[in-house]
Amino acid sequence: MKFNNFSQNGEILPLIKAIIPLSNIEYAYGFGVYESLRVRGGKVFFEKHHIDRLFQSASILGIIHHFFKSDVSEFISNLIKKENPDTCNLKIILIGGKAQSDSQLFIMLLNPLFPERNFYAEGINTITYEYKRLFPNAKTLNMLGSYMAYRKAKENGCFDALLTDENQNIIEGTRTNFFAIKNKKIFTQPRKKILEGITREIVLDIAKKDGYEIIEANISSEDLSSYDSAFLTSTSSKILPIKRIDGFVFSEISENLKSLMKKYDDLLETSNGIFNPSE
């Protein structure tokens, strides 16, 4: 689908005017944060949670801006009404500045790049790549390390790279959260080490309702054989099973993981884009 407009500080403009000066040092140095949302059937999914995280990320980086959460929601609504998309991705970029008045908020619609269908049935191939993000709890524009890891994965014919620390503990994917599963236990890295994805939050909520025990712990790449399955989550990929990590291959996608994947798909179909977490 072709999109013709974007939003800049709430003003809807033609895409031809989406220009950032080369002298904008804040953008060049990655002094900004972003969010990627999913639009299905013309509805923006889990909007409140993404906007909350956008503001949290800005706070972590010390970005001072003049926008309110209600402003961002209104800007999104106006752009959706203008373009009237059915299915797409919606990207928000908040750029900081030297002063509060210099901050810029961009919203654009993008055609989604979904994983191949067979990945959900067969699993994906991944590699590990040692890299720790500077601000792990913020979704920043400083993506060079993740970009290099992702490029290395593609050079090796893999879907994604799994970022590891100096002790070979798997932290997360370049744009995804990582999990391992054993019977009715789901293992995930402690929150302080990762960017908490919105899909991650929803999947863990579904799992808790289904009787899973959630364990925050290091997941070593040397201990993969002790788990039944592993998977990634993100806005675009949903729950994506992993077949191979470096030289280790999971023999199958466990039945528990298949069930969790279906439950998440069912929620997307029935939630109307709204998520209310359990108490």
Side-chain angles (χ1 to χ4, degrees):
M1 182 176 180
K2 182 179 180 181
F3 303 111
N4 301 306
N5 301 280
F6 75 107
S7 173
Q8 180 175 352
N9 300 335
E11 182 181 3
I12 295 179
L13 299 169
L15 281 175
I16 196 171
K17 293 189 176 182
I19 298 172
I20 296 175
L22 292 176
S23 59
N24 187 316
I25 195 169
E26 286 77 22
Y27 191 87
Y29 283 15
F31 188 53
V33 295
Y34 76 100
E35 283 292 324
S36 295
L37 293 73
R38 192 169 185 178
V39 178
R40 290 165 51 103
K43 297 182 182 298
V44 182
F45 272 62
F46 316 130
E47 178 183 306
K48 175 185 180 300
H49 304 275
H50 282 283
I51 295 175
D52 284 347
R53 189 173 63 174
L54 180 79
F55 277 60
Q56 177 186 348
S57 295
S59 177
I60 291 172
L61 265 63
I63 294 175
I64 302 173
H65 58 88
H66 54 279
F67 302 104
F68 294 95
K69 293 180 182 180
S70 57
D71 294 333
V72 182
S73 185
E74 180 182 349
F75 300 164
I76 290 173
S77 177
N78 291 340
L79 184 60
I80 291 294
K81 288 178 182 178
K82 180 71 174 179
E83 291 287 343
N84 193 30
D86 179 63
T87 299
C88 68
N89 284 349
L90 185 148
K91 189 167 188 176
I92 310 171
I93 301 176
L94 174 58
I95 306 292
K98 296 177 179 64
Q100 186 181 55
S101 58
D102 296 330
S103 59
Q104 300 279 318
L105 185 77
F106 301 93
I107 305 174
M108 66 199 78
L109 302 179
L110 303 169
N111 286 310
L113 295 174
F114 296 130
E116 297 177 20
R117 288 182 178 272
N118 64 297
F119 288 164
Y120 294 97
E122 301 172 8
I124 58 169
N125 295 328
T126 63
I127 61 169
T128 55
Y129 187 97
E130 186 175 331
Y131 173 68
K132 292 175 68 174
R133 294 188 299 112
L134 182 59
F135 297 98
N137 300 133
K139 198 173 179 71
T140 78
L141 294 182
N142 188 346
M143 293 287 288
L144 178 59
S146 294
Y147 175 85
M148 298 293 287
Y150 184 77
R151 186 176 71 171
K152 188 70 172 179
K154 289 303 179 183
E155 290 173 353
N156 284 271
C158 294
F159 178 83
D160 198 5
L162 305 179
L163 307 181
T164 63
D165 63 17
E166 64 277 9
N167 297 314
Q168 297 305 302
N169 295 310
I170 300 174
I171 308 299
E172 57 196 342
T174 61
R175 300 168 182 81
T176 54
N177 286 126
F178 173 79
F179 307 81
I181 187 169
K182 176 70 173 180
N183 296 324
K184 295 287 283 189
K185 295 180 180 180
I186 291 179
F187 299 82
T188 179
Q189 280 288 345
R191 297 180 182 184
K192 65 181 180 180
K193 291 187 175 184
I194 62 173
L195 174 66
E196 288 190 78
I198 306 304
T199 304
R200 175 186 187 274
E201 179 185 358
I202 297 171
V203 168
L204 291 183
D205 189 78
I206 293 172
K208 288 177 184 176
K209 291 177 181 176
D210 199 34
Y212 281 86
E213 179 183 358
I214 311 302
I215 300 173
E216 290 192 352
N218 286 325
I219 304 170
S220 173
S221 59
E222 298 178 354
D223 297 332
L224 292 173
S225 61
S226 63
Y227 302 103
D228 298 333
S229 291
F231 63 97
L232 301 176
T233 62
S234 74
T235 294
S236 294
S237 63
K238 304 187 295 183
I239 298 178
L240 197 56
I242 297 174
K243 179 180 180 180
R244 178 168 64 87
I245 300 175
D246 292 332
F248 178 82
V249 177
F250 288 99
S251 60
E252 61 180 0
I253 301 172
S254 69
E255 291 302 318
N256 282 328
L257 179 51
K258 290 178 182 178
S259 175
L260 194 61
M261 292 167 65
K262 184 179 186 307
K263 289 179 186 296
Y264 181 74
D265 287 344
D266 290 344
L267 181 140
L268 289 180
E269 295 299 326
T270 59
S271 67
N272 205 30
I274 299 171
F275 168 60
N276 295 311
S278 304
E279 295 296 333

